[in-house]
Amino acid sequence: MTILRTALLLAALATPLQGQVRVASPDGRNTVTVAVRDGRLTWSLDRDGHPLILPSLLGFEFRGAPTLRDSLRIADTTRASHDEWWTQPWGEVARVHDHHNELAVSVEEMKAPNRRFILRVRAFDDGIGFRYEFPDQPNLRDFAISDELTEFAFADNAHAWWLPSNRPRMDRSEMLFSSGPLSVPDSIQTPLTMVMSTGTYMVVHEADLEDYARMNLGKRRMEDRTFQAALAPMAGGLKVTGRTPFQTPWRTVQVADHATQLAPSVLGLNLNPPNVLPSTDWIHPMKYVGIWWGMHLGVQTWSSGPRHGATTANAKRMIDFAAANGFGGVLIEGWNTGWDGDWIANRQAFSFTQAYPDYDLAEVARYAHAHNVRLIVHNETSGGIQNYERQMDSAYTLYRSLGLDAIKTGYVTDTTGEGHSHWSQFMVRHYRHVIEEAARYGIMVDAHEPIHDTGERRTYPNMMSREGARGQEYNAWSGDGGNPPEHETILFFTRLLDGPMDFTPGIFDILERSAGHAREPWEPRVRTTIAKQLALYVVIYSPLQMAADLPENYEGQPAFQFIRDVAVDWDTTRVIAGSIGDYVVVARRERGGQTWFLGAITDEQARTFDVPLSFLTPGRRYTADIYADGPGANWLTNPFPVAITHRAVTSASRLHLVLAPGGGQAIRIHPAQ
Ligand code: NOJ
Ligand code: CA
């Protein structure tokens, strides 16, 4: 038995590899190996010589053409290196380092139809990416992909945090995370974050998703740890159609020794083409308020009637409030006709130009301008894509003519009105089309129910923020009581690694008394303290950041000053402490300034942190405005107390942070007068 096994093993080792090529990151730690054995092409990933991903198959299944997977050979390889710093017009960091080694492997099929492709691999110090490129060729011209066969054979039964991807009627990302060994989930969305038994962190995702289906991962065998790309289908089941020359998105694996090194994540940005907009001067990160939470609480309506939220008078009041408090924008939902009745079933009925009679769009636009506030025009499609695309030109023309330069889009359905998955190539094309058209008209985009972020903002910096996870809205109406205290401590290391999120923090009316009735313990509510709501402005990165509560709930609240002060655009980001699902402490310096903001959040556990302020400029004197959980604060029993103190600090100071259960702390550290 043992002898037989040893013989088999030796035989396996002795099987000649028909080619193997490698590329390592500039620091030499991450190595991708591309190999062919018996006609099958694989990729694998090692770090410091230890396997992270074992040899994993590559290939495609086509409709109407043979599988492209067997009888492959490596025909040629070319290498390149790249070392460049580039600047983001806005972001979590101003400057990004793109330093990588590249290996392009030309692969040929050794039997008919003798197709060829290039596997392009880039190895960075913070991870790797690879993509398939199909040159134009007689035997691969118009094609239809029924499955991508790319595998991820994880070397270890790592502990992962995931959202499932194949749940019927849950074809979105607004779910709570599960965690456990990789052998447990049957299907997952990316970004997928995991920690190996060696302590190495890995995040699988994709970059530059332009004209392809979104990649989820699925398993062929339960209990297994080999996942395969599972592309989201269009109506009829096909995954991708195209014509060569063609390239897939990058398949990416971010790698880090510590959770705190995962953010800010720039791997995906480095794998997207540079900005194509001639000018980005018109693009403005901003904080905003809106006619929004009232609808989620049920005290106002999107539809017409006595409680209609989007009236000219309400809009002007909101603009006054924004102007008085230094907010750049005002979102107004329910302004356009189509909301009456079942607005999901009637998705083709939305107009994107026609306002309800009690809302004068031109007058509200004029009033906003006069007060130096931008309107964010709401475009809920309910997944009626054709209806929206038909109206896009006339709508954007109208908005531009009124000087309106921001929209919030929405797609509250699992499958589009046309029968395509929310994440299909059809929708990827649609989301991209919106970004491009909006850019043409000088319009910034905030997308809800979006396709996941794969770094589009580098190429189109008008693609500002998106939802794509469970946000604050779930605390208003969710059947499971709202987001649990650990939620944002998971988001930070998962969804937020792919890009900004329009989470809409800042609810002070934690028990939602504004809904008009006291909530029973099992009813939804905000499951944080007020101080944690403040800290979320620093922890959750978004260039569009809402102060989500009703204006009256900020009245007479000294803690509101933090929301007025906090920046939305950053030069530098440092994650000081973090443990996925437990806590996050992050410091960010505002873009072009010397003021730092620090946000700390915890799950249901009380925690303390000792934070050295060594990130401050030595020799300079600062004042720290500290918004901490007050005496007795506890998300469940006493979420309201906030203790506001001011302290003189320098780079030699340390701050002792005390966080309540479900609590947080927010600090503004500004140069002393
Ligand atoms: C869901 C979005 O996430 C939310 O922000 C919006 O208010 C509703 N859809 C209505 O469009
Ligand atoms: Ca949503």
Side-chain angles (χ1 to χ4, degrees):
M1 172 75 175
T2 321
I3 293 173
L4 179 64
R5 223 182 244 163
T6 311
L8 285 174
L9 191 68
L10 285 176
L13 287 175
T15 307
L17 285 175
Q18 287 137 15
Q20 170 166 306
V21 277
R22 284 208 159 92
V23 61
S25 54
D27 66 2
R29 297 186 63 191
N30 304 324
T31 309
V32 176
T33 304
V34 178
V36 185
R37 181 183 298 204
D38 301 327
R40 289 193 167 193
L41 190 71
T42 61
W43 72 285
S44 56
L45 171 63
D46 292 13
R47 182 166 170 86
D48 301 328
H50 301 294
L52 299 179
I53 306 227
L54 301 171
S56 303
L57 274 181
L58 296 159
F60 293 88
E61 221 63 272
F62 294 97
R63 183 174 288 181
T67 302
L68 179 63
R69 180 192 52 203
D70 312 312
S71 317
L72 300 176
R73 75 175 195 102
I74 294 177
D76 192 16
T77 58
T78 57
R79 289 175 184 277
S81 290
H82 191 83
D83 189 353
E84 175 207 7
W85 284 89
W86 56 276
T87 302
Q88 307 199 77
W90 50 266
E92 252 179 311
V93 292
R95 305 260 296 147
V96 179
H97 194 192
D98 176 358
H99 191 196
H100 67 258
N101 293 325
E102 179 179 291
L103 168 71
V105 185
S106 298
V107 181
E108 278 176 7
E109 208 173 13
M110 291 180 291
K111 62 173 195 210
N114 299 103
R115 293 161 294 186
R116 354 182 230 111
F117 64 90
I118 293 165
L119 187 77
R120 191 173 300 279
V121 187
R122 289 191 181 160
F124 302 78
D125 293 349
D126 59 347
I128 64 99
F130 64 88
R131 78 177 347 163
Y132 303 84
E133 297 173 2
F134 296 102
D136 181 32
Q137 52 197 292
N139 294 338
L140 185 56
R141 201 142 273 160
D142 292 303
F143 63 84
I145 295 175
S146 50
D147 264 314
E148 180 180 323
L149 303 176
T150 306
E151 284 184 351
F152 296 80
F154 296 106
D156 170 304
N157 198 8
H159 189 91
W161 287 261
W162 72 85
L163 298 178
S165 62
N166 69 354
R167 299 295 181 272
R169 308 209 41 73
M170 289 276 272
D171 199 3
R172 284 197 269 147
S173 304
E174 299 180 5
M175 285 178 260
L176 294 176
F177 286 83
S178 301
S179 75
L182 271 178
S183 52
V184 171
D186 59 348
S187 74
I188 43 193
Q189 303 184 28
T190 75
L192 166 69
T193 302
M194 69 195 86
V195 57
M196 315 279 286
S197 54
T198 55
T200 301
Y201 286 81
M202 265 203 288
V203 185
V204 176
H205 191 44
E206 59 181 318
D208 194 22
L209 171 58
E210 219 176 306
D211 186 11
Y212 203 78
R214 169 175 169 164
M215 180 181 72
N216 298 309
L217 300 179
K219 268 183 196 168
R220 252 169 295 157
R221 283 177 303 276
M222 280 309 290
E223 304 299 318
D224 204 350
R225 348 184 258 267
T226 297
F227 287 80
Q228 195 184 60
L231 303 181
M234 291 183 278
L238 265 187
K239 306 296 170 44
V240 178
T241 60
R243 191 185 162 86
T244 56
F246 189 86
Q247 60 190 17
T248 70
W250 295 91
R251 276 66 189 92
T252 63
V253 185
Q254 193 189 337
V255 185
D257 298 328
H258 304 284
T260 50
Q261 292 166 348
L262 291 173
S265 173
V266 297
L267 180 69
L269 290 172
N270 276 330
L271 290 169
N272 269 266
N275 169 36
V276 294
L277 303 185
S279 153
T280 56
D281 297 349
W282 53 275
I283 299 173
H284 299 278
M286 60 185 170
K287 286 175 284 186
Y288 71 96
V289 290
I291 298 179
W292 182 77
W293 187 239
M295 277 86 94
H296 287 270
L297 288 182
V299 295
Q300 290 178 314
T301 58
W302 284 279
S303 53
S304 61
R307 289 182 294 130
H308 186 212
T311 66
T312 304
N314 284 348
K316 288 186 172 177
R317 263 197 300 277
M318 200 55 90
I319 292 166
D320 291 340
F321 178 72
N325 291 288
F327 293 113
V330 171
L331 164 72
I332 294 166
E333 296 202 356
W335 66 276
N336 56 319
T337 59
W339 292 92
D340 295 302
D342 181 340
W343 49 272
I344 297 182
N346 301 336
R347 44 164 75 109
Q348 306 301 343
F350 276 118
S351 167
F352 299 98
T353 51
Q354 178 69 50
Y356 277 117
D358 53 355
Y359 184 77
D360 184 340
L361 178 64
E363 171 57 15
V364 174
R366 186 200 62 76
Y367 194 81
H369 279 295
H371 289 77
N372 209 11
V373 168
R374 303 186 133 77
L375 281 191
I376 302 173
V377 185
H378 190 223
N379 286 183
E380 173 59 65
T381 68
S382 287
I385 304 306
Q386 283 163 4
N387 181 47
Y388 189 48
E389 291 198 347
R390 244 193 324 267
Q391 297 185 53
M392 256 164 66
D393 258 338
S394 49
Y396 296 179
T397 303
L398 171 69
Y399 307 158
R400 272 319 298 177
S401 74
L402 297 172
L404 307 177
D405 60 2
I407 57 171
K408 169 181 169 181
T409 56
Y411 299 87
V412 285
T413 43
D414 300 315
T415 316
T416 74
E418 297 75 22
H420 305 288
S421 153
H422 214 97
W423 298 331
S424 60
Q425 182 187 25
F426 173 88
M427 283 304 283
V428 169
R429 282 181 175 157
H430 169 73
Y431 287 115
R432 182 57 76 127
H433 181 55
V434 170
I435 300 174
E436 290 173 3
E437 283 299 284
R440 245 175 15 95
Y441 284 92
I443 292 175
M444 299 176 270
V445 179
D446 174 13
H448 277 232
E449 298 81 35
I451 193 79
H452 62 188
D453 194 322
T454 69
E456 295 75 13
R457 64 192 181 281
R458 178 169 183 194
T459 316
Y460 289 97
N462 64 314
M463 180 61 239
M464 309 283 289
S465 196
R466 47 186 115 195
E467 192 187 33
R470 263 176 76 132
Q472 184 91 269
E473 60 179 3
Y474 278 75
N475 296 331
W477 40 252
S478 170
D480 58 14
N483 298 327
E486 67 169 7
H487 183 57
E488 301 87 353
T489 69
I490 304 175
L491 273 184
F492 185 82
F493 295 102
T494 53
R495 156 69 182 83
L496 292 173
L497 298 177
D498 75 34
M501 176 177 177
D502 187 29
F503 180 88
T504 73
I507 298 300
F508 279 17
D509 174 23
I510 299 277
L511 301 178
E512 300 173 6
R513 296 192 172 106
S514 303
H517 62 280
R519 299 242 161 158
E520 302 292 346
W522 58 86
E523 285 187 288
R525 52 161 286 197
V526 179
R527 289 161 187 265
T528 73
T529 63
I530 288 193
K532 182 168 172 181
Q533 287 293 311
L534 300 180
L536 293 178
Y537 285 88
V538 187
V539 171
I540 297 180
Y541 169 62
S542 179
L544 300 174
Q545 196 73 287
M546 189 176 202
D549 212 337
L550 307 178
E552 53 267 35
N553 290 329
Y554 294 129
E555 250 164 53
Q557 293 278 1
F560 183 51
Q561 187 59 39
F562 183 82
I563 304 180
R564 297 172 48 145
D565 288 340
V566 70
V568 283
D569 192 16
W570 311 101
D571 266 333
T572 306
T573 290
R574 306 258 174 92
V575 184
I576 292 166
S579 168
I580 307 180
D582 303 325
Y583 57 87
V584 184
V585 182
V586 56
R588 306 191 196 259
R589 195 181 71 225
E590 70 178 349
R591 180 68 72 108
Q594 287 307 320
T595 299
W596 285 80
F597 291 86
L598 192 139
I601 60 170
T602 178
D603 60 1
E604 67 292 337
Q605 303 277 335
R607 293 179 203 275
T608 60
F609 299 95
D610 196 36
V611 179
L613 301 185
S614 49
F615 49 81
L616 298 178
T617 306
R620 179 170 267 166
R621 291 179 319 136
Y622 296 82
T623 305
D625 306 333
I626 301 170
Y627 299 75
D629 287 317
N634 180 311
W635 75 270
L636 180 61
T637 54
N638 190 16
F640 299 108
V642 183
I644 305 176
T645 53
H646 305 276
R647 226 189 103 175
V649 294
T650 67
S651 63
S653 310
R654 304 177 80 87
L655 291 179
H656 186 66
L657 277 47
V658 180
L659 276 61
Q665 190 163 137
I667 307 177
R668 171 175 176 252
I669 308 172
H670 50 103
Q673 297 304 328

